[in-house]
Amino acid sequence: MSHLLLLTKSTQSSVEVLPALALLPHHVRILPAEASALIDAPPSDAVLVDGRHDLAQVRSLTRVIRTTGIECPLLLVLTEGGLAVAAADWGMDDVIITTAGPAELEARLRLAIGRAAAATEGGDESHVISSSGLVVDDATYTAKLETRTLDLTFKEFELLKFLAQHPGRVFTRQQLLQEVWGYDYFGGTRTVDVHVRRLRAKLGPERETLIGTVRNVGYRFVATAVEPAEESVADTTSTDEVAEADASTGG
């Protein structure tokens, strides 16, 4: 039997949120749908989040929970409609549809809990990128430079992570738009310049060269920090352009 935490705003029982739970022997404790509810919560084998309603708020909740560094799996309970919009960047380990039968629910819980246990026992650090004093943790959506935690927006984090995953490889602005912002993004490539400028500012003068410029091509991650070099004209983004990009990209 596993101990599960269910975060929900509903006053309903766990069985009404996920009916298959009634046919399984797991112990379920219901908590408010707030990340702070986990602070004093008892140890659990998995956390379930009720995602049947208000998907935008649910997405924010799962992302915040992931940044807390919880060690147990985070599973999102969704309706069939919710499956169409759920994405990997929400931070959950798996999704469970509300109409799932007991066999499917049991299998998903067992596999998720097993993966988490294997990662803990094996010291799996595949989600951590470490280079030149920079540590990017994809599991907790955090980035640290030496001992300093970088205050990054979601897109800044995704851009830094993508570049750090491919050290030395040069990407054009269009490629970065496709990989980080997605194929359905209609903004201009200047957005990439704005985010690179911000990242360099947050990295600081001693480490801003971790993101290198290849003139007339694009950007790359430089594994070993070098002395600051002259940047291309495309990198001299004005404050007004940064503000304009803010309005169009939402950070």
Side-chain angles (χ1 to χ4, degrees):
M1 179 180 69
S2 298
H3 292 269
L4 311 176
L5 297 179
L6 173 62
L7 305 188
T8 178
K9 285 190 173 181
S10 172
T11 56
Q12 300 173 337
S13 68
S14 61
V15 172
E16 291 174 296
V17 175
L18 194 57
L21 281 173
L23 302 175
L24 297 175
H26 303 300
H27 179 271
V28 182
R29 178 168 180 173
I30 298 179
L31 296 174
E34 302 170 356
S36 59
L38 297 176
I39 296 176
D40 297 320
S44 62
D45 298 297
V47 175
L48 306 178
V49 176
D50 181 2
R52 297 173 301 156
H53 311 292
D54 198 353
L55 288 174
Q57 187 168 0
V58 167
R59 177 185 60 185
S60 298
L61 175 60
T62 53
R63 286 177 173 175
V64 170
I65 292 175
R66 179 57 67 192
T67 62
T68 64
I70 63 169
E71 297 181 356
C72 64
L74 178 63
L75 297 96
L76 186 56
V77 181
L78 294 171
T79 62
E80 288 191 10
L83 290 176
V85 296
D89 63 13
W90 288 27
M92 68 282 191
D93 295 294
D94 201 355
V95 296
I96 301 175
I97 194 169
T98 54
T99 55
E104 178 183 350
L105 174 57
E106 177 65 21
R108 289 186 179 277
L109 286 170
R110 184 180 69 253
L111 292 173
I113 293 171
R115 287 194 298 268
T120 300
E121 293 173 2
D124 182 13
E125 295 294 332
S126 60
H127 56 83
V128 176
I129 305 166
S130 180
S131 179
S132 303
L134 176 69
V135 177
V136 179
D137 191 335
D138 192 29
T140 60
Y141 285 89
T142 58
K144 292 185 178 181
L145 191 56
E146 303 298 347
T147 58
R148 175 169 60 93
T149 299
L150 301 178
D151 183 15
L152 305 179
T153 66
F154 181 70
K155 286 303 181 186
E156 289 169 357
F157 175 84
E158 288 292 307
L159 177 59
L160 181 60
K161 180 187 74 172
F162 182 77
L163 290 171
Q165 284 175 327
H166 306 87
R169 181 176 172 182
V170 181
F171 293 93
T172 66
R173 292 167 175 82
Q174 188 60 47
Q175 287 175 321
L176 291 172
L177 275 181
Q178 293 173 353
E179 295 292 341
V180 178
W181 279 263
Y183 286 92
D184 57 348
Y185 178 74
F186 296 103
T189 56
R190 194 61 169 175
T191 296
V192 177
D193 297 325
V194 170
H195 282 73
V196 166
R197 182 180 177 86
R198 287 176 175 166
L199 277 176
R200 284 174 171 162
K202 292 180 179 181
L203 288 171
E206 294 183 355
R207 293 301 176 89
E208 63 181 0
T209 50
L210 285 174
I211 302 178
T213 299
V214 179
R215 289 181 178 276
N216 302 319
V217 181
Y219 299 104
R220 67 189 177 105
F221 185 85
V222 182
T224 302
V226 296
E227 292 300 320
E230 181 183 0
E231 297 181 355
S232 65
V233 174
D235 289 323
T236 57
T237 310
S238 69
T239 302
D240 290 341
E241 289 169 328
V242 171
E244 180 180 353
D246 274 342
S248 62
T249 66

mmCIF file of all heavy atoms in Angstrom, residues 34-70:
data_model
loop_
_atom_site.group_PDB
_atom_site.id
_atom_site.type_symbol
_atom_site.label_atom_id
_atom_site.label_comp_id
_atom_site.label_asym_id
_atom_site.label_seq_id
_atom_site.Cartn_x
_atom_site.Cartn_y
_atom_site.Cartn_z
ATOM 1 N N GLU A 34 -2.362 23.893 -2.943
ATOM 2 C CA GLU A 34 -1.357 24.938 -2.756
ATOM 3 C C GLU A 34 -0.014 24.274 -2.484
ATOM 4 O O GLU A 34 0.068 23.277 -1.757
ATOM 5 C CB GLU A 34 -1.719 25.847 -1.582
ATOM 6 C CG GLU A 34 -3.081 26.522 -1.721
ATOM 7 C CD GLU A 34 -3.488 27.220 -0.431
ATOM 8 O OE1 GLU A 34 -2.732 27.100 0.567
ATOM 9 O OE2 GLU A 34 -4.553 27.853 -0.411
ATOM 10 N N ALA A 35 1.037 24.824 -3.064
ATOM 11 C CA ALA A 35 2.366 24.257 -2.857
ATOM 12 C C ALA A 35 2.752 24.291 -1.383
ATOM 13 O O ALA A 35 3.439 23.397 -0.882
ATOM 14 C CB ALA A 35 3.392 25.011 -3.692
ATOM 15 N N SER A 36 2.287 25.324 -0.671
ATOM 16 C CA SER A 36 2.632 25.456 0.754
ATOM 17 C C SER A 36 2.060 24.325 1.590
ATOM 18 O O SER A 36 2.541 24.061 2.691
ATOM 19 C CB SER A 36 2.124 26.798 1.291
ATOM 20 O OG SER A 36 0.710 26.907 1.122
ATOM 21 N N ALA A 37 1.035 23.642 1.061
ATOM 22 C CA ALA A 37 0.426 22.548 1.813
ATOM 23 C C ALA A 37 1.390 21.388 1.998
ATOM 24 O O ALA A 37 1.226 20.567 2.904
ATOM 25 C CB ALA A 37 -0.839 22.066 1.097
ATOM 26 N N LEU A 38 2.417 21.322 1.155
ATOM 27 C CA LEU A 38 3.374 20.224 1.231
ATOM 28 C C LEU A 38 4.427 20.436 2.322
ATOM 29 O O LEU A 38 5.150 19.509 2.670
ATOM 30 C CB LEU A 38 4.066 20.044 -0.122
ATOM 31 C CG LEU A 38 3.168 19.647 -1.293
ATOM 32 C CD1 LEU A 38 3.983 19.603 -2.581
ATOM 33 C CD2 LEU A 38 2.516 18.295 -1.035
ATOM 34 N N ILE A 39 4.504 21.662 2.843
ATOM 35 C CA ILE A 39 5.544 21.968 3.829
ATOM 36 C C ILE A 39 5.415 21.091 5.069
ATOM 37 O O ILE A 39 6.396 20.515 5.550
ATOM 38 C CB ILE A 39 5.487 23.458 4.227
ATOM 39 C CG1 ILE A 39 5.806 24.339 3.007
ATOM 40 C CG2 ILE A 39 6.464 23.739 5.356
ATOM 41 C CD1 ILE A 39 5.686 25.821 3.292
ATOM 42 N N ASP A 40 4.210 20.984 5.590
ATOM 43 C CA ASP A 40 3.991 20.198 6.801
ATOM 44 C C ASP A 40 3.307 18.868 6.508
ATOM 45 O O ASP A 40 2.808 18.207 7.427
ATOM 46 C CB ASP A 40 3.136 20.996 7.799
ATOM 47 C CG ASP A 40 3.829 22.267 8.259
ATOM 48 O OD1 ASP A 40 5.046 22.218 8.479
ATOM 49 O OD2 ASP A 40 3.152 23.309 8.360
ATOM 50 N N ALA A 41 3.279 18.474 5.247
ATOM 51 C CA ALA A 41 2.614 17.227 4.872
ATOM 52 C C ALA A 41 3.442 16.027 5.309
ATOM 53 O O ALA A 41 4.676 16.092 5.355
ATOM 54 C CB ALA A 41 2.404 17.191 3.361
ATOM 55 N N PRO A 42 2.792 14.934 5.630
ATOM 56 C CA PRO A 42 3.526 13.722 6.023
ATOM 57 C C PRO A 42 4.245 13.128 4.811
ATOM 58 O O PRO A 42 3.915 13.455 3.667
ATOM 59 C CB PRO A 42 2.406 12.790 6.517
ATOM 60 C CG PRO A 42 1.197 13.241 5.762
ATOM 61 C CD PRO A 42 1.333 14.726 5.657
ATOM 62 N N PRO A 43 5.235 12.279 5.029
ATOM 63 C CA PRO A 43 5.933 11.639 3.905
ATOM 64 C C PRO A 43 4.948 10.881 3.018
ATOM 65 O O PRO A 43 3.975 10.302 3.511
ATOM 66 C CB PRO A 43 6.907 10.683 4.606
ATOM 67 C CG PRO A 43 7.096 11.259 5.969
ATOM 68 C CD PRO A 43 5.782 11.864 6.340
ATOM 69 N N SER A 44 5.191 10.904 1.726
ATOM 70 C CA SER A 44 4.281 10.227 0.798
ATOM 71 C C SER A 44 5.076 9.572 -0.319
ATOM 72 O O SER A 44 6.232 9.918 -0.573
ATOM 73 C CB SER A 44 3.271 11.222 0.217
ATOM 74 O OG SER A 44 3.948 12.221 -0.525
ATOM 75 N N ASP A 45 4.427 8.623 -0.965
ATOM 76 C CA ASP A 45 5.062 7.923 -2.088
ATOM 77 C C ASP A 45 4.802 8.635 -3.403
ATOM 78 O O ASP A 45 5.545 8.446 -4.369
ATOM 79 C CB ASP A 45 4.538 6.485 -2.163
ATOM 80 C CG ASP A 45 4.877 5.693 -0.907
ATOM 81 O OD1 ASP A 45 6.074 5.498 -0.649
ATOM 82 O OD2 ASP A 45 3.945 5.293 -0.194
ATOM 83 N N ALA A 46 3.753 9.446 -3.455
ATOM 84 C CA ALA A 46 3.432 10.193 -4.671
ATOM 85 C C ALA A 46 2.477 11.325 -4.327
ATOM 86 O O ALA A 46 1.731 11.254 -3.349
ATOM 87 C CB ALA A 46 2.803 9.280 -5.729
ATOM 88 N N VAL A 47 2.527 12.374 -5.144
ATOM 89 C CA VAL A 47 1.616 13.510 -4.997
ATOM 90 C C VAL A 47 0.745 13.583 -6.241
ATOM 91 O O VAL A 47 1.254 13.591 -7.370
ATOM 92 C CB VAL A 47 2.388 14.836 -4.822
ATOM 93 C CG1 VAL A 47 1.416 16.017 -4.803
ATOM 94 C CG2 VAL A 47 3.210 14.812 -3.537
ATOM 95 N N LEU A 48 -0.565 13.623 -6.025
ATOM 96 C CA LEU A 48 -1.525 13.763 -7.120
ATOM 97 C C LEU A 48 -2.099 15.172 -7.075
ATOM 98 O O LEU A 48 -2.445 15.671 -6.009
ATOM 99 C CB LEU A 48 -2.659 12.744 -6.992
ATOM 100 C CG LEU A 48 -2.274 11.260 -6.859
ATOM 101 C CD1 LEU A 48 -3.512 10.411 -6.686
ATOM 102 C CD2 LEU A 48 -1.492 10.809 -8.072
ATOM 103 N N VAL A 49 -2.203 15.810 -8.237
ATOM 104 C CA VAL A 49 -2.792 17.140 -8.326
ATOM 105 C C VAL A 49 -4.068 17.064 -9.147
ATOM 106 O O VAL A 49 -4.062 16.556 -10.280
ATOM 107 C CB VAL A 49 -1.810 18.143 -8.965
ATOM 108 C CG1 VAL A 49 -2.489 19.505 -9.149
ATOM 109 C CG2 VAL A 49 -0.564 18.296 -8.104
ATOM 110 N N ASP A 50 -5.154 17.548 -8.587
ATOM 111 C CA ASP A 50 -6.442 17.571 -9.279
ATOM 112 C C ASP A 50 -6.396 18.641 -10.367
ATOM 113 O O ASP A 50 -6.424 19.836 -10.084
ATOM 114 C CB ASP A 50 -7.558 17.865 -8.275
ATOM 115 C CG ASP A 50 -8.945 17.870 -8.913
ATOM 116 O OD1 ASP A 50 -9.041 17.603 -10.130
ATOM 117 O OD2 ASP A 50 -9.920 18.142 -8.184
ATOM 118 N N GLY A 51 -6.326 18.209 -11.616
ATOM 119 C CA GLY A 51 -6.243 19.143 -12.731
ATOM 120 C C GLY A 51 -7.490 19.163 -13.588
ATOM 121 O O GLY A 51 -7.428 19.498 -14.780
ATOM 122 N N ARG A 52 -8.617 18.840 -12.996
ATOM 123 C CA ARG A 52 -9.847 18.781 -13.777
ATOM 124 C C ARG A 52 -10.374 20.161 -14.147
ATOM 125 O O ARG A 52 -11.103 20.306 -15.126
ATOM 126 C CB ARG A 52 -10.926 18.020 -12.979
ATOM 127 C CG ARG A 52 -10.582 16.567 -12.686
ATOM 128 C CD ARG A 52 -11.617 15.957 -11.752
ATOM 129 N NE ARG A 52 -11.675 16.707 -10.490
ATOM 130 C CZ ARG A 52 -12.743 16.724 -9.698
ATOM 131 N NH1 ARG A 52 -13.828 16.045 -10.028
ATOM 132 N NH2 ARG A 52 -12.725 17.423 -8.569
ATOM 133 N N HIS A 53 -10.013 21.168 -13.358
ATOM 134 C CA HIS A 53 -10.541 22.506 -13.594
ATOM 135 C C HIS A 53 -9.412 23.539 -13.547
ATOM 136 O O HIS A 53 -8.368 23.301 -12.951
ATOM 137 C CB HIS A 53 -11.593 22.858 -12.530
ATOM 138 C CG HIS A 53 -12.629 21.792 -12.320
ATOM 139 N ND1 HIS A 53 -13.564 21.466 -13.276
ATOM 140 C CD2 HIS A 53 -12.844 20.960 -11.265
ATOM 141 C CE1 HIS A 53 -14.333 20.492 -12.815
ATOM 142 N NE2 HIS A 53 -13.915 20.163 -11.601
ATOM 143 N N ASP A 54 -9.629 24.683 -14.170
ATOM 144 C CA ASP A 54 -8.694 25.821 -14.118
ATOM 145 C C ASP A 54 -7.268 25.383 -14.456
ATOM 146 O O ASP A 54 -6.359 25.437 -13.634
ATOM 147 C CB ASP A 54 -8.721 26.457 -12.727
ATOM 148 C CG ASP A 54 -8.132 27.862 -12.725
ATOM 149 O OD1 ASP A 54 -7.583 28.259 -13.778
ATOM 150 O OD2 ASP A 54 -8.211 28.548 -11.695
ATOM 151 N N LEU A 55 -7.080 24.970 -15.706
ATOM 152 C CA LEU A 55 -5.797 24.407 -16.125
ATOM 153 C C LEU A 55 -4.642 25.397 -16.009
ATOM 154 O O LEU A 55 -3.514 25.002 -15.732
ATOM 155 C CB LEU A 55 -5.909 23.894 -17.561
ATOM 156 C CG LEU A 55 -6.734 22.613 -17.728
ATOM 157 C CD1 LEU A 55 -6.910 22.280 -19.194
ATOM 158 C CD2 LEU A 55 -6.077 21.451 -17.001
ATOM 159 N N ALA A 56 -4.896 26.669 -16.223
ATOM 160 C CA ALA A 56 -3.827 27.656 -16.119
ATOM 161 C C ALA A 56 -3.269 27.696 -14.702
ATOM 162 O O ALA A 56 -2.053 27.745 -14.493
ATOM 163 C CB ALA A 56 -4.342 29.037 -16.520
ATOM 164 N N GLN A 57 -4.162 27.652 -13.721
ATOM 165 C CA GLN A 57 -3.708 27.681 -12.327
ATOM 166 C C GLN A 57 -3.044 26.360 -11.948
ATOM 167 O O GLN A 57 -2.062 26.333 -11.204
ATOM 168 C CB GLN A 57 -4.895 27.953 -11.398
ATOM 169 C CG GLN A 57 -4.476 28.161 -9.952
ATOM 170 C CD GLN A 57 -5.615 28.715 -9.106
ATOM 171 O OE1 GLN A 57 -6.700 28.946 -9.598
ATOM 172 N NE2 GLN A 57 -5.355 28.905 -7.821
ATOM 173 N N VAL A 58 -3.562 25.269 -12.488
ATOM 174 C CA VAL A 58 -2.974 23.958 -12.225
ATOM 175 C C VAL A 58 -1.560 23.894 -12.786
ATOM 176 O O VAL A 58 -0.639 23.363 -12.158
ATOM 177 C CB VAL A 58 -3.842 22.844 -12.840
ATOM 178 C CG1 VAL A 58 -3.103 21.515 -12.848
ATOM 179 C CG2 VAL A 58 -5.143 22.711 -12.059
ATOM 180 N N ARG A 59 -1.365 24.440 -13.978
ATOM 181 C CA ARG A 59 -0.030 24.465 -14.589
ATOM 182 C C ARG A 59 0.949 25.225 -13.699
ATOM 183 O O ARG A 59 2.071 24.770 -13.459
ATOM 184 C CB ARG A 59 -0.099 25.120 -15.966
ATOM 185 C CG ARG A 59 1.262 25.257 -16.654
ATOM 186 C CD ARG A 59 1.139 26.009 -17.953
ATOM 187 N NE ARG A 59 0.609 27.350 -17.745
ATOM 188 C CZ ARG A 59 0.302 28.195 -18.726
ATOM 189 N NH1 ARG A 59 0.445 27.825 -19.981
ATOM 190 N NH2 ARG A 59 -0.167 29.396 -18.450
ATOM 191 N N SER A 60 0.518 26.375 -13.190
ATOM 192 C CA SER A 60 1.381 27.154 -12.302
ATOM 193 C C SER A 60 1.697 26.380 -11.026
ATOM 194 O O SER A 60 2.831 26.402 -10.531
ATOM 195 C CB SER A 60 0.709 28.484 -11.948
ATOM 196 O OG SER A 60 0.494 29.264 -13.103
ATOM 197 N N LEU A 61 0.702 25.681 -10.497
ATOM 198 C CA LEU A 61 0.883 24.927 -9.263
ATOM 199 C C LEU A 61 1.904 23.811 -9.444
ATOM 200 O O LEU A 61 2.812 23.641 -8.624
ATOM 201 C CB LEU A 61 -0.454 24.350 -8.798
ATOM 202 C CG LEU A 61 -0.398 23.425 -7.571
ATOM 203 C CD1 LEU A 61 0.161 24.158 -6.366
ATOM 204 C CD2 LEU A 61 -1.794 22.860 -7.270
ATOM 205 N N THR A 62 1.781 23.035 -10.519
ATOM 206 C CA THR A 62 2.706 21.917 -10.726
ATOM 207 C C THR A 62 4.132 22.427 -10.940
ATOM 208 O O THR A 62 5.097 21.811 -10.481
ATOM 209 C CB THR A 62 2.281 21.056 -11.922
ATOM 210 O OG1 THR A 62 2.109 21.873 -13.090
ATOM 211 C CG2 THR A 62 0.975 20.342 -11.622
ATOM 212 N N ARG A 63 4.265 23.564 -11.618
ATOM 213 C CA ARG A 63 5.609 24.128 -11.823
ATOM 214 C C ARG A 63 6.232 24.569 -10.505
ATOM 215 O O ARG A 63 7.415 24.340 -10.252
ATOM 216 C CB ARG A 63 5.531 25.316 -12.789
ATOM 217 C CG ARG A 63 5.315 24.927 -14.244
ATOM 218 C CD ARG A 63 5.186 26.157 -15.113
ATOM 219 N NE ARG A 63 5.140 25.817 -16.528
ATOM 220 C CZ ARG A 63 4.928 26.703 -17.499
ATOM 221 N NH1 ARG A 63 4.742 27.993 -17.194
ATOM 222 N NH2 ARG A 63 4.904 26.327 -18.762
ATOM 223 N N VAL A 64 5.418 25.198 -9.662
ATOM 224 C CA VAL A 64 5.930 25.648 -8.359
ATOM 225 C C VAL A 64 6.313 24.452 -7.501
ATOM 226 O O VAL A 64 7.367 24.442 -6.850
ATOM 227 C CB VAL A 64 4.876 26.516 -7.637
ATOM 228 C CG1 VAL A 64 5.306 26.773 -6.190
ATOM 229 C CG2 VAL A 64 4.683 27.830 -8.359
ATOM 230 N N ILE A 65 5.469 23.427 -7.494
ATOM 231 C CA ILE A 65 5.760 22.231 -6.705
ATOM 232 C C ILE A 65 7.070 21.607 -7.165
ATOM 233 O O ILE A 65 7.898 21.185 -6.360
ATOM 234 C CB ILE A 65 4.612 21.211 -6.817
ATOM 235 C CG1 ILE A 65 3.357 21.742 -6.117
ATOM 236 C CG2 ILE A 65 5.018 19.863 -6.214
ATOM 237 C CD1 ILE A 65 2.149 20.858 -6.282
ATOM 238 N N ARG A 66 7.293 21.581 -8.470
ATOM 239 C CA ARG A 66 8.519 20.981 -8.993
ATOM 240 C C ARG A 66 9.748 21.750 -8.533
ATOM 241 O O ARG A 66 10.786 21.158 -8.246
ATOM 242 C CB ARG A 66 8.453 20.934 -10.518
ATOM 243 C CG ARG A 66 9.697 20.356 -11.192
ATOM 244 C CD ARG A 66 9.981 18.954 -10.685
ATOM 245 N NE ARG A 66 8.960 18.010 -11.077
ATOM 246 C CZ ARG A 66 8.845 16.792 -10.590
ATOM 247 N NH1 ARG A 66 9.684 16.381 -9.663
ATOM 248 N NH2 ARG A 66 7.889 15.980 -10.993
ATOM 249 N N THR A 67 9.638 23.061 -8.426
ATOM 250 C CA THR A 67 10.795 23.855 -8.001
ATOM 251 C C THR A 67 11.125 23.651 -6.527
ATOM 252 O O THR A 67 12.208 24.025 -6.085
ATOM 253 C CB THR A 67 10.560 25.356 -8.243
ATOM 254 O OG1 THR A 67 9.446 25.809 -7.458
ATOM 255 C CG2 THR A 67 10.284 25.641 -9.712
ATOM 256 N N THR A 68 10.194 23.067 -5.757
ATOM 257 C CA THR A 68 10.478 22.816 -4.346
ATOM 258 C C THR A 68 11.418 21.634 -4.164
ATOM 259 O O THR A 68 11.932 21.408 -3.068
ATOM 260 C CB THR A 68 9.184 22.536 -3.560
ATOM 261 O OG1 THR A 68 8.575 21.319 -4.046
ATOM 262 C CG2 THR A 68 8.205 23.692 -3.692
ATOM 263 N N GLY A 69 11.641 20.886 -5.242
ATOM 264 C CA GLY A 69 12.571 19.767 -5.172
ATOM 265 C C GLY A 69 11.999 18.525 -4.512
ATOM 266 O O GLY A 69 12.742 17.748 -3.906
ATOM 267 N N ILE A 70 10.694 18.285 -4.638
ATOM 268 C CA ILE A 70 10.102 17.088 -4.039
ATOM 269 C C ILE A 70 10.744 15.842 -4.646
ATOM 270 O O ILE A 70 11.075 15.802 -5.828
ATOM 271 C CB ILE A 70 8.570 17.049 -4.237
ATOM 272 C CG1 ILE A 70 8.201 16.974 -5.721
ATOM 273 C CG2 ILE A 70 7.896 18.228 -3.584
ATOM 274 C CD1 ILE A 70 6.740 16.671 -5.956
#
